[in-house]
Amino acid sequence: CELNLCVAVDFSGSNGNPMEKGTLHYMRDGAPNEYEQAITAVCSILAKYDYDNKFPVWGFGAKYDGVMQNCFQIGKEAEGLEGILQNYKSVFSTNIIMSTPTVIHPVIKVAASQARESQKQANGKGKQAYTILLILTNGCVSELEETQQALLNSSTAPLSIVIVGIGNNDFSAMKHLDNLDVTPPERDITKFVEFRAFQHDRGALAEATLDEIPDQLVDYFFDNDIRPLPATSDEVRSKINILPHCDTTHFDVEMNFNEDGTMHIADDADFRRRSSRQHMKL
């Protein structure tokens, strides 16, 4: 399965003036700001699973030439973690005006559309594709009902969404989005992580970021009756042990990688086990 990571960054006015020290986008004293820290910490985890190490980077919440933009492409497709950081920094050399309101549902809709198209193209080549959207925001999100509906509509796409809260604002709205009531065929595709809660514990951050994605991925293919592709002869096994804050436990993510970087998530036996569990629930 080819995984694709997309990154969306909040450039709304609620982040504060980026020229003023102490605001979330400030970057003039040589130290990385909180967005840079979060991009480095989270993308260094998620990017490991992207099949081609190329990432679209989007922005929202800003005006260009006086026109409000709630989903705009930042530069060309970024290559690697450094490319994501470079694209992010490049925004501040443009005529951007950080504005309001903070609206994320257009980004969600674009990501869902691209996720469906990627899976369609992969399917035409006898492959499978799944997309992860990473949204970094300070949490002052407007149009919550529209955002909730966008998440429900997007839940039938091959998509998982990780929202990382930056700063110390009230994240109750983000937590609400993380706990939506869904009715099949809708899926729970959203995970909210408050960055400051894990800022100094990369293991716990990795666990919080990744823990729901494998099940969300398998659920999508199961719900759509898409059987796992057979393992190839050049497949290699990669077992990643990410140590969280508790020394007495560990968080295992076991995935199978092919030499071309694609991932084998599950085999046909896994599919049958999931089907058996589903019948037991009915």
Side-chain angles (χ1 to χ4, degrees):
C1 181
E2 298 177 349
L3 292 190
N4 302 291
L5 173 64
C6 307
V7 181
V9 182
D10 182 353
F11 291 101
S12 64
S14 57
N15 287 280
N17 186 342
M19 303 294 290
E20 295 181 3
K21 190 171 183 177
T23 57
L24 296 176
H25 284 297
Y26 181 80
M27 59 174 69
R28 286 178 174 258
D29 59 2
N33 63 36
E34 199 158 330
Y35 275 93
E36 291 175 285
Q37 293 176 46
I39 289 171
T40 300
V42 179
C43 289
S44 64
I45 298 166
L46 295 177
K48 293 177 182 179
Y49 306 111
D50 188 278
Y51 88 103
D52 64 358
N53 205 37
K54 295 181 180 180
F55 316 100
V57 182
W58 303 318
F60 58 92
K63 287 184 178 180
Y64 276 99
D65 298 325
V67 179
M68 189 68 186
Q69 303 288 343
N70 287 315
C71 184
F72 57 91
Q73 177 79 30
I74 303 175
K76 297 180 179 179
E77 199 171 42
E79 295 191 16
L81 174 60
E82 286 303 315
I84 297 173
L85 288 168
Q86 289 172 7
N87 281 19
Y88 162 71
K89 294 176 183 179
S90 72
V91 170
F92 298 99
S93 62
T94 67
N95 63 342
I96 183 178
I97 298 176
M98 300 174 75
S99 188
T100 57
T102 306
V103 178
I104 64 173
H105 56 81
V107 166
I108 294 170
K109 293 174 183 176
V110 169
S113 177
Q114 291 200 9
R116 290 187 174 100
E117 182 61 26
S118 294
Q119 167 60 7
K120 180 180 178 181
Q121 292 183 9
N123 185 59
K125 300 175 183 177
K127 299 181 179 181
Q128 296 168 350
Y130 194 84
T131 298
I132 301 170
L133 170 62
L134 171 65
I135 300 176
L136 300 109
T137 176
N138 75 336
C140 299
V141 174
S142 302
E143 302 184 7
L144 196 60
E145 288 187 10
E146 290 88 342
T147 303
Q148 177 175 315
Q149 191 58 52
L151 288 173
L152 293 176
N153 292 343
S154 300
S155 68
T156 57
L159 177 69
S160 288
I161 299 175
V162 178
I163 303 175
V164 176
I166 306 297
N168 59 358
N169 285 324
D170 179 5
F171 291 114
S172 57
M174 298 296 97
K175 294 174 182 177
H176 169 73
L177 296 176
D178 190 9
N179 293 286
L180 292 181
D181 291 328
V182 297
T183 303
E186 297 165 349
R187 298 181 300 124
D188 177 12
I189 63 170
T190 308
K191 178 63 182 286
F192 171 72
V193 178
E194 188 172 347
F195 179 66
R196 287 191 178 181
F198 306 100
Q199 191 169 5
H200 304 294
D201 191 337
R202 294 294 180 88
L205 177 65
E207 181 176 7
T209 303
L210 287 171
D211 63 352
E212 294 182 10
I213 292 176
D215 280 344
Q216 290 171 350
L217 185 153
V218 174
D219 284 346
Y220 167 78
F221 288 109
F222 173 79
D223 290 346
N224 288 275
D225 199 27
I226 302 173
R227 290 186 173 274
L229 295 175
T232 59
S233 59
D234 61 352
E235 180 181 88
V236 295
R237 180 172 295 274
S238 175
K239 186 169 184 177
I240 304 167
N241 293 319
I242 305 173
L243 298 178
H245 56 283
C246 178
D247 294 334
T248 60
T249 62
H250 67 277
F251 176 65
D252 283 348
V253 179
E254 186 169 325
M255 299 178 178
N256 300 323
F257 291 89
N258 298 324
E259 291 183 356
D260 62 0
T262 58
M263 186 191 308
H264 176 59
I265 296 292
D267 57 23
D268 201 54
D270 297 322
F271 190 94
R272 290 195 298 271
R273 284 193 295 271
R274 180 64 62 98
S275 180
S276 176
R277 289 199 300 270
Q278 184 70 14
H279 284 303
M280 291 174 64
K281 294 178 181 178
L282 296 178

